[in-house]
Amino acid sequence: MSSSNTNTGGPSASAPAAATPAASDTLLTVHSVDLLKSKDGPNRREHHTEAYFSDKLIIRRGQTFQMWIEFSRPFNPKSDRLQLQLKLEPIFSRSTGIHISVPLVDVLEDGRWEMKIVEQKDKRVRLAVNTLPTASIGRYKVTVDSFSPKGKLLFPCTPNDVYMLFNPWCEDDPVYLDNEAERKEYVLNSMGKVYYGTEQQIGTRTWNFAQFEQDILEACLFLLERGQVAMTEWRDPVIVSRMVSALVNSNDDYGVLMGNWKDSYEGGTSPTAWSGSGDILRQYYKSSGKPVKFAQCWVFAGVTNSVLRCLGIPTRCVTNFSSAHDTDLSLTTDIYIDEKLEIIKDKTSDSVWNFHVWNESWMTRLDLPAGYGGWQVVDSTPQEPSQGSYRCGPTPVSAVRNGQVNLKFDTPFVFAEVNSDRIYWQKKPDGSFSQVHVEKNSIGQRISTKAVGSDARVDITHLYKYPEGSEEERIAVERASRFGSKPTLYPSPTGNDVSVEIVMDGTGPRIGGDAKLSIVLKNKSSNQRTASLLYEVMVMYYTGVLKSTVKKGQIPVTLKPQETKTIPWTLLYKEYMKHLVDQGALMLAVTGRVNETRQILATQFNFRLRTPDLIITALGDAVVGKELTVKITFQNPLSQVLRNVLFRIEGLGMQSIRKIAYGDVDKLAMITLTEKFVPTVAGSQKLLASMDCRLLTQVHGVADTVVKPK
């Protein structure tokens, strides 16, 4: 068989000049297939997948990719034919797969599975293969079918599978995002920020989404199979994101993470000790789907962010402060008090979380009227079931803003989280309750996400609701309340010329110190007012669930006409030290009745005890392949010994987490650890550290390091 001069002009390439009829008559056998899958090759670069720590061909749908095929003889376009078979088959479940035939054509057309020859060299041809922007994502097996007058042959390209992802760079993909800086942030950035605390005391921690690390893509596709949703539905980001919101929690479908809001984390990891998603997803995948213990909302959100970014859906973490958990779909947060103005704890099932972290994913909503695409809330923290499963979203942020709570999915629940009114109900002698006080602007404060291209915090409250008290905001609340379970609320209030609020100086108290607040009363009338204030300070979980009362008391108040009075209030360290739970969260509730007008006064103020940071310092320059020494310093702020302290370190391009069991840290002691790392990736990198300790949680640190190439 003679090799010959070949016209490499593409699809119309003529048969090789020296090819004899006998040569074309022989079977066309595929000798080898090169999927051009190297990280720095054109396929991975053009598809923005070179960051994946994998030697597989990873592509994005709606874009062409290239491949070489070597045959037993030169390909003759006049008598030979070629076809690719792509099969998406479940690896673990029994659901039906997908089979796609890709024909060879002369000219590629958009919106079709097709391929054409773009180069021919002797026995090799280079193909450009067109994929659909609506193809199901997943891991496709590839077979080459070669046809010649002598017959058909199949060449399975095992183990060279093709991984297909969503494509935010493709205008015809529903996840298309038209801003390159946003694509870099919401798809390609593997480090992010998660905000926590209270609206007056916003804490921040760095999270390693690890979406490109080893085994993470496989773990995400394994997770989708657990969703028991037909693979034909894997084309739709609405269904995939809803599925992921159910699968990241383990409440009813053997998902990734088991939630735990109690005090004990035996047999697992404290939620505040995690600093990234890589370890969690690898553990889940390698144990064939055994839930990882334990998580709270920011861990659920961090892992959801990782899975959706890994699959190609632009996603970000969002924190809502004073986030309502409406259990009865009244679209209000209801607090019940007795005749003595004390909170009836077992009647108050609605709660207000100090903060709640969820995700937003970017997509068009072809299943909804026009105008509801864009950012969608996706929340995998198990709070209330939705259509029989613990999941939430995707919920259009624009529908929440306008009070359009009749639009799917779970809009009433998300609306109540950010924009419900807090209503106080008092028990009457006959056992019924009457509405005595409404707070219209306490829920949904300083909704926060990380800025594009920097570590700054951005306030996106305006995307969720109109300015508090504006006509548009009241219309949205009233429109939404018509769909709630108590549509006839809001009777006219009684005389209310006295106001009460609680204020805090600066960034607030540190753990181990005294907490100092002020109660401010204003008399707006031209008459004297007297009242007796009841205060109760309670330790609570950040979810708003109260654990125990630390201190309570009474303060008699006399207010002159038009007077503003500030009453200092202090909680001593020795009063709270034995009561603390995770997050060091406390709530001061103040209630009272104005004697002259019978006006009920009521307010609540959440605050946290700030924890120290871990200080991370790199000693010397960071260079790829060269050992780097890092110093980590920590000061115990408590006059109590910290037992069994464990440090966890990740980042710097490491493919796994490093754990250091330190032991005990003496009261008020300062300690220093020295660790050595070998950076593997050049460029701006972060090194994260967190501390796992029963008595002191939410202690972490981050160092920014520029790693030089070799």
Side-chain angles (χ1 to χ4, degrees):
M1 198 185 307
S2 60
S3 64
S4 57
N5 297 323
T6 308
N7 176 353
T8 57
S12 56
S14 56
T20 62
S24 287
D25 274 354
T26 58
L27 273 169
L28 183 70
T29 308
V30 175
H31 274 186
S32 66
V33 172
D34 181 359
L35 289 175
L36 302 173
K37 56 190 183 167
S38 76
K39 278 187 207 180
D40 49 3
N43 278 338
R44 296 273 298 266
R45 271 205 324 274
E46 286 165 17
H47 287 255
H48 307 95
T49 62
E50 66 269 38
Y52 287 87
F53 192 89
S54 166
D55 57 2
K56 306 286 190 218
L57 177 57
I58 303 166
I59 60 170
R60 297 188 188 276
R61 64 187 194 172
Q63 222 172 308
T64 59
F65 68 93
Q66 306 217 347
M67 58 189 281
W68 281 97
I69 301 178
E70 185 175 7
F71 299 108
S72 54
R73 59 171 175 78
F75 180 82
N76 182 348
K78 289 183 178 165
S79 57
D80 297 330
R81 280 193 311 117
L82 206 54
Q83 204 169 53
L84 276 191
Q85 305 294 342
L86 298 179
K87 285 184 182 172
L88 185 59
E89 291 174 332
I91 300 164
F92 305 100
S93 63
R94 292 189 183 151
S95 62
T96 316
I98 292 174
H99 184 182
I100 297 155
S101 293
V102 185
L104 187 65
V105 297
D106 290 344
V107 179
L108 291 181
E109 287 184 43
D110 283 346
R112 292 187 176 185
W113 284 103
E114 292 175 338
M115 60 183 182
K116 76 168 192 173
I117 295 174
V118 289
E119 189 177 351
Q120 189 164 349
K121 282 186 177 171
D122 193 17
K123 298 174 189 175
R124 297 169 73 225
V125 295
R126 184 160 60 93
L127 296 168
V129 183
N130 215 14
T131 63
L132 282 196
T134 53
S136 285
I137 62 163
R139 177 181 173 178
Y140 285 85
K141 295 200 174 308
V142 183
T143 304
V144 179
D145 294 356
S146 57
F147 303 84
S148 64
K150 283 287 181 189
K152 170 183 173 183
L153 289 173
L154 307 183
F155 182 83
C157 301
T158 50
N160 293 328
D161 300 334
V162 173
Y163 290 77
M164 180 120 49
L165 308 177
F166 290 106
N167 193 351
W169 284 264
C170 170
E171 287 185 24
D172 296 319
D173 192 312
V175 302
Y176 173 65
L177 192 56
D178 64 358
N179 180 307
E180 180 59 18
E182 290 181 359
R183 290 189 291 241
K184 279 186 176 156
E185 181 67 56
Y186 299 135
V187 183
L188 300 180
N189 193 355
S190 60
M191 286 281 176
K193 293 283 181 189
V194 176
Y195 301 97
Y196 63 92
T198 68
E199 64 258 36
Q200 275 90 1
Q201 301 167 283
I202 295 178
T204 174
R205 64 181 303 160
T206 304
W207 193 267
N208 181 12
F209 298 123
Q211 72 266 37
F212 303 124
E213 285 184 10
Q214 198 164 2
D215 298 323
I216 299 303
L217 178 54
E218 285 81 357
C220 294
L221 295 175
F222 167 71
L223 186 62
L224 289 192
E225 282 198 40
R226 308 289 294 224
Q228 315 254 309
V229 170
M231 287 179 145
T232 50
E233 305 284 17
W234 292 18
R235 70 185 63 177
D236 185 348
V238 174
I239 292 171
V240 169
S241 60
R242 185 157 175 77
M243 217 157 81
V244 168
S245 86
L247 290 163
V248 168
N249 70 69
S250 67
N251 276 40
D252 41 27
D253 46 23
Y254 307 105
V256 179
L257 281 159
M258 188 181 289
N260 184 345
W261 284 268
K262 299 190 178 71
D263 271 348
S264 168
Y265 303 117
E266 274 179 46
T269 300
S270 160
T272 54
W274 297 113
S275 52
S277 312
D279 225 29
I280 293 168
L281 285 164
R282 269 190 295 271
Q283 268 187 52
Y284 178 74
Y285 176 53
K286 291 189 170 168
S287 68
S288 299
K290 196 172 162 194
V292 177
K293 302 171 183 176
F294 291 106
Q296 290 175 5
C297 70
W298 65 95
V299 187
F300 286 117
V303 171
T304 300
N305 214 71
S306 304
V307 173
L308 294 174
R309 279 191 190 178
C310 181
L311 298 176
I313 300 176
T315 304
R316 61 190 187 184
C317 287
V318 170
T319 302
N320 178 36
F321 292 95
S322 289
S323 186
H325 180 173
D326 177 20
T327 54
D328 60 2
L329 284 186
S330 62
L331 301 185
T332 59
T333 304
D334 302 302
I335 296 165
Y336 296 88
I337 55 179
D338 61 18
E339 294 94 327
K340 296 179 185 167
L341 306 182
E342 297 200 356
I343 293 172
I344 307 171
K345 296 186 180 78
D346 57 356
K347 172 82 177 152
T348 304
S349 59
D350 288 353
S351 59
V352 177
W353 297 31
N354 280 355
F355 68 94
H356 180 41
V357 190
W358 58 65
N359 304 87
E360 285 177 1
S361 291
W362 182 271
M363 63 190 75
T364 53
R365 287 298 296 268
L366 301 173
D367 58 326
L368 293 180
Y372 293 104
W375 289 116
Q376 313 286 318
V377 172
V378 176
D379 189 352
S380 56
T381 300
Q383 292 185 86
E384 297 293 322
S386 167
Q387 296 176 322
S389 177
Y390 279 92
R391 58 188 166 183
C392 180
T395 309
V397 173
S398 53
V400 172
R401 189 171 196 239
N402 291 316
Q404 298 281 12
V405 296
N406 53 327
L407 294 175
K408 62 185 182 184
F409 292 95
D410 310 306
T411 321
F413 186 77
V414 178
F415 181 87
E417 286 183 301
V418 300
N419 211 1
S420 59
D421 289 347
R422 187 186 264 164
I423 300 184
Y424 290 80
W425 303 85
Q426 187 176 22
K427 192 172 190 176
K428 297 199 288 200
D430 65 1
S432 66
F433 285 84
S434 64
Q435 182 183 321
V436 291
H437 182 64
V438 180
E439 284 181 354
K440 291 192 167 157
N441 56 0
S442 62
I443 302 298
Q445 302 292 313
R446 299 185 75 179
I447 303 172
S448 301
T449 193
K450 177 188 171 301
V452 172
S454 85
D455 283 341
R457 182 184 70 84
V458 178
D459 191 309
I460 55 169
T461 311
H462 62 283
L463 299 180
Y464 281 85
K465 52 188 185 179
Y466 293 101
E468 292 284 5
S470 68
E471 183 67 9
E472 298 98 325
E473 188 256 351
R474 282 292 101 193
I475 288 169
V477 170
E478 282 163 32
R479 178 189 288 141
S481 73
R482 288 203 297 272
F483 294 95
S485 62
K486 297 178 188 167
T488 54
L489 290 172
Y490 307 114
S492 55
T494 51
N496 54 357
D497 48 29
V498 175
S499 68
V500 60
E501 70 169 328
I502 299 164
V503 295
M504 175 182 70
D505 287 341
T507 52
R510 289 186 170 275
I511 197 161
D514 299 342
K516 294 180 178 173
L517 306 174
S518 302
I519 301 168
V520 179
L521 293 128
K522 284 183 187 164
N523 177 8
K524 292 175 237 165
S525 82
S526 46
N527 299 308
Q528 178 173 290
R529 297 283 184 247
T530 58
S532 179
L533 293 184
L534 296 175
Y535 71 81
E536 184 174 9
V537 65
M538 292 164 271
V539 167
M540 67 173 187
Y541 298 96
Y542 81 96
T543 57
V545 174
L546 302 172
K547 179 178 182 251
S548 56
T549 296
V550 176
K551 181 180 181 182
K552 64 198 290 190
Q554 229 169 341
I555 306 169
V557 180
T558 301
L559 295 167
K560 296 180 189 137
Q562 305 292 332
E563 184 185 6
T564 297
K565 183 170 274 189
T566 301
I567 302 165
W569 184 92
T570 302
L571 178 67
L572 303 174
Y573 170 58
K574 65 182 183 193
E575 291 174 316
Y576 70 72
M577 65 182 272
K578 293 205 167 95
H579 294 274
L580 282 186
V581 294
D582 271 7
Q583 309 285 331
L586 295 152
M587 179 176 81
L588 175 60
V590 173
T591 53
R593 183 185 282 116
V594 179
N595 297 321
E596 291 78 8
T597 61
R598 313 306 287 161
Q599 177 195 347
I600 297 285
L601 302 173
T603 190
Q604 295 179 343
F605 185 82
N606 300 337
F607 61 100
R608 70 181 177 93
L609 301 160
R610 292 185 300 126
T611 49
D613 289 331
L614 299 177
I615 308 301
I616 306 173
T617 317
L619 306 176
D621 287 347
V623 181
V624 169
K626 188 180 161 194
E627 196 170 72
L628 172 70
T629 303
V630 173
K631 185 173 80 172
I632 299 168
T633 311
F634 165 69
Q635 164 108 46
N636 178 6
L638 304 182
S639 44
Q640 292 164 275
V641 177
L642 304 179
R643 305 274 178 209
N644 304 319
V645 172
L646 175 75
F647 292 94
R648 304 161 70 90
I649 304 171
E650 64 180 296
L652 275 190
M654 291 186 288
Q655 295 300 308
S656 60
I657 205 158
R658 185 180 296 187
K659 296 179 190 171
I660 301 146
Y662 185 86
D664 296 350
V665 178
D666 214 357
K667 52 188 173 188
L668 304 174
M670 177 173 272
I671 63 162
T672 301
L673 301 175
T674 306
E675 287 293 309
K676 290 182 163 50
F677 303 93
V678 179
T680 57
V681 183
S684 291
Q685 302 286 340
K686 290 183 189 294
L687 185 67
L688 317 185
S690 68
M691 191 177 92
D692 192 351
C693 168
R694 182 82 187 77
L695 199 59
L696 187 63
T697 63
Q698 205 62 281
V699 175
H700 43 80
V702 58
D704 289 296
T705 308
V706 176
V707 180
K708 297 173 183 169
K710 272 185 183 170

